[in-house]
Amino acid sequence: MKKIMTYSFLAALFLVVSCSKGDSERFKLLTGPTWVPVSLLANGVDATGTGGLLAGFVGDAKFNTDGTGTFGTYTGTWMFDANEEKIIIGSASLPISITLNITELTSTSLKLQGSFPDPNNLTGPPINIEMTFRTK
Amino acid sequence: MMQSFISVLLFLITAFAANAQENGIIRGRITDLNSGEPLPGVYVIYGKNLGTTSNEDGYYQISPAAGHVSVTFQFIGYESVTRDLSIGRGETTELNVGLEMKIREIDQIVVSADKVEKRIAELSVSMDVIKTSFLSENHLTDPQEIINKTSGIEVLDGQASIRGGSGFSYGAGSRVMALIDGLPMLSADAGNIKWQYIPLENLSQIEIIKGASSVLYGSSALNGIINFRTADASNIPVTQFFAEGGLYGQPKNRDWKWWDTPRVFSTVSFSHLQKSGRTDIGLGGNLFIDESYRRLNDEKLARLTLKLKHYSALTEGLTYGISFNGGYNRKTDFVLWEDAATGALKQSPSTANKYVGSFITVDPFISLKKPGRIQHDLRLRLQSTTNRLPESEQNNSDAVSLYAEYQVWARLADFMDITAGLSENYASVKSKFFNDHNSFNLAGYSQLDIRPADRLKAVAGVRVEHYSLDGESEKLVPIIRAGLNWQAAEATFIRASFGQGYRFPSMAEKFAATTIGSVRIFANPDLLSESGWSTELGIKQGILAGNIAGQADMSIFMLNNKNLIEYIFGIFPEGLGFMATNVEQARIYGLETELMLSRQYGQWQTTLSGGYTFMYPVEVNRMTGKNTDTYLKYRRKHSGIISLENSYKKFSLGLSMYIKSKILNIDDVFITTPILPGFGGYWQRHNTGYTALDLSCGYSLNEKYRISLAVKNITNTEYMGRPGDIQPPINYSIRFSGKL
């Protein structure tokens, strides 16, 4: 009985010390290139004009490996969610963080989808946004 | 010559007889209160230079003058006892006394740190012990308030944070495991501590481990544990009770006062412990009514506990029994204030929700102990919680869990013990709020206690836990702990420890989706477990100088946690609102000191205790692993407590001071949005830290009954817990208590 308990203890200890983790493939895909916007759409319509909902996102997007980044005119931080299927962007220039679904991430293309509250009707239905990027 | 001698002898006999006529006789036996063994050599004092000592069988006899007499029994290592009584001339009164062993602070026996009984000085981790006398002397009836008044711990709206390990998570999840008699009591749905159902009326002590404790206690013990240990019966039956009533004073900001008639609160409580044959019986109950100093925040609470423990006559060392704990609660939780100017103590009707809840635990247990060789323990807890919100039934939930744990302790060799166990926890939740879910945990743990040298003790433990939710398994969680304790001198103990911890997300954090007022909450089924580690180096010094005894403790510590779950207010694909997110990487460096000194001089006893905690809590860049310059939310750098208790004969007087520096960082949502009207400006002006004072005094009417008064927040300091949670203004309570 005592031996069994001792061996169990040692086996479990071995299990504990044999774990490691590295950067994921999606992390490398996202942080490798500089991204340029192909289209920034709000409810299917271009929203990059003066005063447009996504005008601030016009410009290069770079997701740095240290969690910082530039997203058009915004600078701030980014992070994946647990499954690396969403990206959370925070910036001092944004009143609150934005979480977007990553609908496509390849070595050449990045597509983000999410929703924005309608500035003219905060309690109304949100505006659907779609942001498509390609590598620079 | 002979005639003179006889004359003198006759005179002495006559004088003695006359004196005996004018005096009375008190005699009896002095025993150890717990063992019943006689105590020889006890000082029995009934006046200046008047007294005797008990003989080898514990018997004594004194002959004080008739009338009122106060007899004090003093013995090294035991609490002094004073009895007041009246005796008539020539009358003989029998007075038997049981003395309770006084335990040096560093010799206190605790069980929570290693799941076996150990001296507190010999642990490798930091532990605080709260005695029940602290609760009664300070009129503490809310476990949150008790824990909040402990050095290095803060409770923000139900969320316990040990050494800054937690912030404020809107009532979901807990990084501190709460236990009753070593068994977990977190709710299966929200994973939070149901403070109101903790049976304070029948406690022996509260043990708090500061640091990751998941190896022995599993998920949620990421930052430590709080173990509420219930009392066992002693040889002498004891019944205790109290009735308390109180009222809230005016808030410092008179514009906040919204009531015309005083807001009052009241509590009645009782407990009874006795042995009946080979069975220990413990029974307790509590009723609590609070009108609250805040509008739409009233509460009614009832608790009942029963504990039966039987010592087998057939098998030596075999004990078994069952405990029952039940509670019923009606209240309106305070969520958001109306506005900072005049409505800080008025809940916004949009968030006011009536709540009706119940909590039941049934704990059968069996233990077989062969002292010094082996001990087997099998313990179960069947726990049921119901949450009813009559005005928003979509948020109702029912949760049932069955926790079972088998543990064996064995002495492998003179220098080595092992503690190993298997535990499972099955939980089922039915709710429209969370939807229906079930989870299953299975864990194995093992720990070696090694004594490689006379004054050196080491501990090493490992745990592997499997968790599945709705049939989907998560990967195995393997973690370790290790610690050392070296007795450097007679009363000097140096300790070092390292421990890992983790926490599975609660069902509420993963699945809760609702709207409270104008606030939307989104589910996040993809949440990951939190994990981390803590380490510390500490020294404990026992103090004994003349009639001063106590201890000093100092430690430096570090916590490192990742994937901490926080509710973030932001723009999500689902819309604008809150969502639990694995967002925070935390690192906390700190230093903690604690001191307790007790001085006894005759019937005057003074106890000075206190603690100071410094923390540097920062967010860590999850990519680089380096500290950022952003402070963690809802943490403070400095906190301190100092308490002075005095007792003289029948009187007692206590003063406690609580000092906390400002909160370093909070969620932007409270400042940049109108969720809490007027909060931004209020926060800028008032987030400066605070000092609060509590005063208590008491008078023992006789051996059994006592009356006491407590004035909390005597300076009427205006301070806040989490945003919008203004703490009580000055409040007064009077208590009548008895011990029969």
Side-chain angles (χ1 to χ4, degrees):
Chain A
M1 178 69 174
K2 290 175 181 176
K3 280 185 178 175
I4 290 170
M5 288 195 290
T6 308
Y7 290 143
S8 303
F9 177 85
L10 295 173
L13 195 63
F14 175 77
L15 187 64
V16 167
V17 297
S18 54
C19 301
S20 68
K21 190 185 170 186
D23 289 336
S24 69
E25 188 61 30
R26 285 172 76 82
F27 179 86
K28 291 172 186 167
L29 284 171
L30 186 73
T31 56
T34 297
W35 301 93
V36 289
V38 175
S39 64
L40 301 172
L41 307 177
N43 279 346
V45 178
D46 178 69
T48 60
T50 306
L53 192 62
L54 301 177
F57 285 94
V58 175
D60 292 352
K62 179 72 177 117
F63 299 88
N64 300 322
T65 55
D66 65 357
T68 62
T70 54
F71 323 106
T73 61
Y74 303 115
T75 58
T77 59
W78 71 272
M79 62 178 282
F80 280 132
D81 77 330
N83 292 338
E84 301 188 351
E85 289 172 354
K86 292 176 183 171
I87 191 166
I88 303 162
I89 294 173
S91 167
S93 311
L94 291 167
I96 49 179
S97 63
I98 302 169
T99 302
L100 299 163
N101 292 320
I102 303 171
T103 53
E104 184 179 304
L105 176 58
T106 67
S107 59
T108 57
S109 174
L110 168 65
K111 289 184 181 176
L112 304 173
Q113 179 274 330
S115 66
F116 256 51
D118 186 342
N120 301 315
N121 182 13
L122 286 173
T123 56
I127 296 170
N128 182 52
I129 60 168
E130 291 172 295
M131 304 164 83
T132 304
F133 300 85
R134 61 171 174 79
T135 51
K136 192 172 183 179
Chain B
M1 180 67 184
M2 188 62 177
Q3 200 172 14
S4 300
F5 175 76
I6 291 170
S7 300
V8 170
L9 193 63
L10 281 172
F11 171 77
L12 286 173
I13 291 169
T14 310
F16 180 81
N19 184 51
Q21 293 265 313
E22 287 182 11
N23 290 13
I25 293 172
I26 300 172
R27 65 187 180 196
R29 196 179 198 201
I30 307 165
T31 53
D32 180 296
L33 187 65
N34 287 313
S35 68
E37 293 293 313
L39 292 175
V42 177
Y43 288 99
V44 184
I45 304 160
Y46 61 99
K48 192 173 183 183
N49 299 324
L50 295 172
T52 186
T53 56
S54 57
N55 68 16
E56 60 185 11
D57 295 319
Y59 289 102
Y60 74 97
Q61 179 170 315
I62 54 175
S63 181
H68 177 83
V69 60
S70 183
V71 188
T72 299
F73 301 85
Q74 289 182 343
F75 193 46
I76 293 170
Y78 285 78
E79 298 283 357
S80 296
V81 166
T82 299
R83 294 278 187 265
D84 294 305
L85 64 164
S86 295
I87 53 167
R89 288 180 182 174
E91 195 177 291
T92 299
T93 301
E94 187 166 323
L95 178 61
N96 298 317
V97 172
L99 296 186
E100 193 165 14
M101 194 174 283
K102 183 162 66 180
I103 298 167
R104 288 193 304 167
E105 289 297 315
I106 60 170
D107 290 333
Q108 291 180 89
I109 300 298
V110 293
V111 298
S112 304
D114 296 310
K115 284 198 167 183
V116 291
E117 290 191 343
K118 279 190 176 179
R119 285 173 71 201
I120 193 168
E122 295 178 349
L123 303 179
S124 60
V125 295
S126 283
M127 175 181 274
D128 277 6
V129 176
I130 303 172
K131 296 288 184 186
T132 51
S133 57
F134 177 74
L135 279 55
S136 56
E137 284 161 8
N138 294 283
H139 292 198
L140 298 174
T141 54
D142 178 359
Q144 294 181 71
E145 187 184 358
I146 297 163
I147 301 303
N148 206 28
K149 290 180 171 174
T150 305
S151 181
I153 308 179
E154 180 157 20
V155 182
L156 286 182
D157 202 15
Q159 192 86 25
S161 174
I162 295 178
R163 290 177 170 172
S166 302
F168 165 57
S169 67
Y170 303 81
S174 174
R175 292 179 196 134
V176 174
M177 171 61 87
L179 307 129
I180 300 174
D181 285 331
L183 297 176
M185 58 89 61
L186 298 183
S187 68
D189 44 14
N192 57 357
I193 302 173
K194 295 287 187 187
W195 297 99
Q196 66 271 39
Y197 302 122
I198 291 167
L200 294 185
E201 52 277 4
N202 193 22
L203 290 185
S204 62
Q205 62 186 25
I206 303 167
E207 299 178 1
I208 302 169
I209 300 177
K210 297 172 174 177
S213 307
S214 289
V215 165
L216 292 179
Y217 293 100
S219 176
S220 285
L222 183 61
N223 292 148
I225 65 142
I226 306 173
N227 188 9
F228 296 85
R229 292 179 61 193
T230 59
D232 282 327
S234 60
N235 284 330
I236 299 171
V238 177
T239 301
Q240 295 185 79
F241 70 88
F242 72 79
E244 179 184 314
L247 57 89
Y248 296 99
Q250 294 196 58
K252 187 177 181 181
N253 183 341
R254 295 291 191 265
D255 292 338
W256 286 355
K257 190 187 170 204
W258 55 271
W259 58 87
D260 297 321
T261 54
R263 310 302 295 172
V264 299
F265 53 92
S266 55
T267 316
V268 290
S269 178
F270 80 95
S271 72
H272 177 77
L273 294 168
Q274 80 163 80
K275 284 185 182 293
S276 175
R278 301 183 70 88
T279 303
D280 290 358
I281 302 168
L283 182 65
N286 180 276
L287 287 172
F288 173 70
I289 299 172
D290 182 15
E291 289 186 347
S292 184
Y293 58 100
R294 296 191 287 207
R295 196 179 68 184
L296 300 175
N297 187 210
D298 54 297
E299 180 171 15
K300 290 177 183 169
L301 173 68
R303 282 195 304 263
L304 193 65
T305 61
L306 173 67
K307 184 176 177 183
L308 299 171
K309 186 176 182 181
H310 183 75
Y311 297 83
S312 172
L314 301 174
T315 307
E316 191 181 344
L318 178 68
T319 55
Y320 51 88
I322 192 165
S323 297
F324 166 85
N325 183 22
Y328 177 79
N329 189 207
R330 296 178 72 95
K331 64 177 178 178
T332 309
D333 275 328
F334 191 88
V335 183
L336 301 174
W337 70 23
E338 270 191 358
D339 65 80
T342 58
L345 301 184
K346 290 189 253 181
Q347 168 145 225
S348 167
S350 67
T351 57
N353 253 321
K354 289 192 186 310
Y355 167 88
V356 181
S358 67
F359 179 87
I360 297 170
T361 59
V362 181
D363 308 340
F365 59 90
I366 184 166
S367 174
L368 180 62
K369 186 176 185 178
K370 296 191 174 175
R373 289 172 53 204
I374 197 161
Q375 178 172 341
H376 302 271
D377 288 285
L378 178 63
R379 297 186 296 172
L380 282 80
R381 169 161 291 167
L382 179 63
Q383 178 174 303
S384 164
T385 53
T386 61
N387 301 303
R388 294 281 177 273
L389 292 96
E391 292 162 355
S392 55
E393 291 185 349
Q394 74 278 8
N395 293 340
N396 289 352
S397 66
D398 295 306
V400 178
S401 61
L402 176 64
Y403 179 86
E405 179 175 304
Y406 165 73
Q407 180 179 295
V408 59
W409 172 92
R411 175 141 295 170
L412 300 177
D414 288 343
F415 63 93
M416 185 163 62
D417 303 334
I418 190 167
T419 306
L422 284 170
S423 71
E424 73 78 31
N425 191 27
Y426 171 78
S428 173
V429 174
K430 293 192 182 305
S431 167
K432 288 179 186 169
F433 186 17
F434 311 121
N435 293 320
D436 296 352
H437 300 282
N438 59 72
S439 67
F440 182 68
N441 291 43
L442 186 64
Y445 61 87
S446 185
Q447 176 173 290
L448 286 176
D449 284 273
I450 307 162
R451 298 170 290 279
D454 188 31
R455 289 170 172 245
L456 184 64
K457 294 177 176 61
V459 59
V462 60
R463 182 187 190 94
V464 179
E465 182 149 354
H466 170 266
Y467 174 69
S468 67
L469 180 64
D470 297 328
E472 285 189 26
S473 295
E474 292 210 355
K475 64 181 181 183
L476 281 175
V477 179
I479 53 168
I480 58 167
R481 70 169 289 212
L484 283 172
N485 184 295
W486 176 49
Q487 186 177 2
E490 172 62 24
T492 306
F493 298 83
I494 296 170
R495 64 179 184 274
S497 65
F498 170 86
Q500 291 180 304
Y502 60 92
R503 182 176 79 86
F504 300 120
S506 67
M507 292 184 192
E509 287 163 306
K510 276 201 162 194
F511 302 114
T514 190
T515 301
I516 303 171
S518 59
V519 180
R520 292 182 70 191
I521 296 172
F522 303 113
N524 184 0
D526 297 328
L527 273 182
L528 292 176
S529 299
E530 301 178 336
S531 61
W533 52 263
S534 66
T535 185
E536 74 162 76
L537 180 66
I539 180 168
K540 189 182 286 293
Q541 176 65 54
I543 298 167
L544 189 61
N547 54 1
I548 296 176
Q551 66 168 5
D553 192 288
M554 188 167 81
S555 58
I556 52 173
F557 60 86
M558 181 180 171
L559 280 71
N560 198 78
N561 293 330
K562 67 176 186 178
N563 290 332
L564 294 185
I565 298 166
E566 271 193 14
Y567 269 97
I568 290 184
F569 183 76
I571 300 167
F572 296 95
E574 297 83 356
L576 180 69
F578 286 91
M579 184 188 282
T581 311
N582 292 106
V583 69
E584 195 174 67
Q585 314 289 302
R587 190 167 290 153
I588 301 169
Y589 308 87
L591 176 147
E592 188 167 73
T593 60
E594 290 182 349
L595 178 71
M596 205 291 288
L597 293 174
S598 185
R599 179 179 185 271
Q600 182 148 4
Y601 186 78
Q603 292 184 47
W604 186 288
Q605 181 158 356
T606 300
T607 302
L608 174 72
S609 59
Y612 164 73
T613 306
F614 166 79
M615 288 187 296
Y616 181 72
V618 288
E619 281 191 17
V620 175
N621 185 312
R622 63 164 54 221
M623 310 296 186
T624 64
K626 293 179 179 172
N627 293 349
T628 66
D629 54 4
T630 304
Y631 287 121
L632 299 174
K633 292 168 192 162
Y634 307 103
R635 271 76 160 190
R636 307 173 195 268
K637 270 191 179 174
H638 308 276
S639 61
I641 292 171
I642 189 159
S643 178
L644 182 66
E645 302 281 342
N646 284 286
S647 65
Y648 178 69
K649 291 189 174 176
K650 296 179 174 182
F651 296 92
S652 67
L653 180 68
L655 186 67
S656 299
M657 182 164 67
Y658 308 94
I659 306 167
K660 284 188 163 68
S661 63
K662 68 176 185 179
I663 290 180
L664 297 165
N665 193 5
I666 60 170
D667 286 308
D668 289 342
V669 61
F670 292 112
I671 295 171
T672 58
T673 73
I675 280 183
L676 268 176
F679 179 77
Y682 180 86
W683 188 246
Q684 276 194 329
R685 292 191 303 277
H686 291 87
N687 181 32
T688 55
Y690 68 88
T691 300
L693 280 171
D694 291 352
L695 175 76
S696 62
C697 57
Y699 176 76
S700 296
L701 301 169
N702 54 35
E703 290 170 22
K704 295 175 181 172
Y705 302 113
R706 179 179 165 80
I707 192 159
S708 54
L709 172 76
V711 186
K712 295 180 189 171
N713 191 7
I714 198 167
T715 52
N716 210 11
T717 302
E718 184 182 310
Y719 63 104
M720 189 184 283
R722 52 93 175 160
D725 186 18
I726 300 290
Q727 296 301 294
I730 186 170
N731 57 95
Y732 315 85
S733 60
I734 189 160
R735 175 182 287 200
F736 176 71
S737 54
K739 187 173 183 180
L740 309 173

